[in-house]
Amino acid sequence: MKISPSLLHLYAVTDRQWLHGRTLESQVREVLEGGATILQLREKRLSDEDFLAEARAIQKTCQEFRVPLIINDNLAVAKAIGAGLHVGQSDAACRTAREALGPDAIIGVSCTNVEQAIQAQKDGADYLGVGAVFPTSTKHDADYVSDTELRAIGNAVDIPLVAIGGITLENATRLAGTGIAGVAVVSALFAADSPRDAAQKFAQLKY
């Protein structure tokens, strides 16, 4: 599926560790109200049954805002609700995901170098999540991707890139001119006092 780079401008990635008494659905609603253009639901500790139930609820909110929902690393859940899927290098193969979800599903792949990017494109990826572009607290084992490597990846493939890893309102502007379509943001949205206000500020940035 060919997707517009504008779809990746503000790629919100959920993380329930910052709920602080709020519900994930309410936080997602705030982020979407603020201008997130795509949402990835990431759950590392929920059972498949609970993940599926949560995904159905979040999907309704995404549909209300006409924002695509991407499921992180769970092909069964993505297929069950007809959502997109994001996989890493050690997750289900992109090719397998494409065969299971069909040509119209949005599929993204995490990568850190040109070789991985080229392979992901061959396997049917619609976009690439590239990073970590900055130090990140959400993934301690993440490989660092320099601006030079980020540009090289963009030049090597024909599908859009979204930068991820430690991105904040203060450092996001340093990514301008690197060729990315947008940024994937976790804590700078979901740990914010107002996810809505944070999303509004990110949505105004240009890359």
Side-chain angles (χ1 to χ4, degrees), residues 14-30:
T14 67
D15 193 326
R16 63 174 48 252
Q17 71 170 304
W18 293 295
L19 291 182
H20 302 307
R22 297 175 288 185
T23 66
L24 186 64
E25 190 174 350
S26 69
Q27 283 192 320
V28 165
R29 178 172 292 277
E30 281 200 50

Side-chain angles (χ1 to χ4, degrees), residues 29-30 53 61 70 72 78 88 100 108 111 123 148 171 190 203-204 207:
R29 178 172 292 277
E30 281 200 50
T61 305
I70 306 296
N72 181 70
C111 68
D123 288 344
T148 300
N171 63 26
F190 288 92
Q204 295 170 1
Y207 307 105

Side-chain angles (χ1 to χ4, degrees), residues 45-195:
R45 294 184 175 88
L46 290 186
S47 67
D48 282 354
E49 183 179 359
D50 288 342
F51 194 173
L52 178 58
E54 180 183 74
R56 291 191 192 281
I58 297 296
Q59 186 180 46
K60 290 180 181 178
T61 305
C62 287
Q63 289 172 339
E64 181 182 336
F65 287 87
R66 298 186 179 184
V67 168
L69 173 64
I70 306 296
I71 301 298
N72 181 70
D73 186 27
N74 194 311
L75 178 56
V77 169
K79 187 173 183 178
I81 67 171
L85 181 71
H86 188 90
V87 297
Q89 291 296 315
S90 60
D91 300 332
C94 178
R95 189 177 303 170
T96 301
R98 177 58 71 198
E99 291 173 355
L101 299 178
D104 295 331
I106 299 175
I107 298 177
V109 177
S110 297
C111 68
T112 60
N113 57 55
V114 169
E115 182 181 7
Q116 292 174 352
I118 292 173
Q119 186 61 52
Q121 179 172 270
K122 288 180 179 177
D123 288 344
D126 295 300
Y127 72 90
L128 302 175
V130 183
V133 292
F134 300 114
T136 173
S137 61
T138 58
K139 197 167 185 181
H140 299 289
D141 60 345
D143 292 325
Y144 174 69
V145 177
S146 67
D147 286 357
T148 300
E149 186 71 16
L150 188 59
R151 290 188 179 91
I153 292 171
N155 290 332
V157 296
D158 299 321
I159 52 179
L161 312 184
V162 57
I164 189 169
I167 296 172
T168 65
L169 283 166
E170 291 71 32
N171 63 26
T173 53
R174 289 161 51 186
L175 297 168
T178 58
I180 61 171
V183 293
V185 186
V186 191
S187 61
L189 289 177
F190 288 92
D193 290 336
S194 172

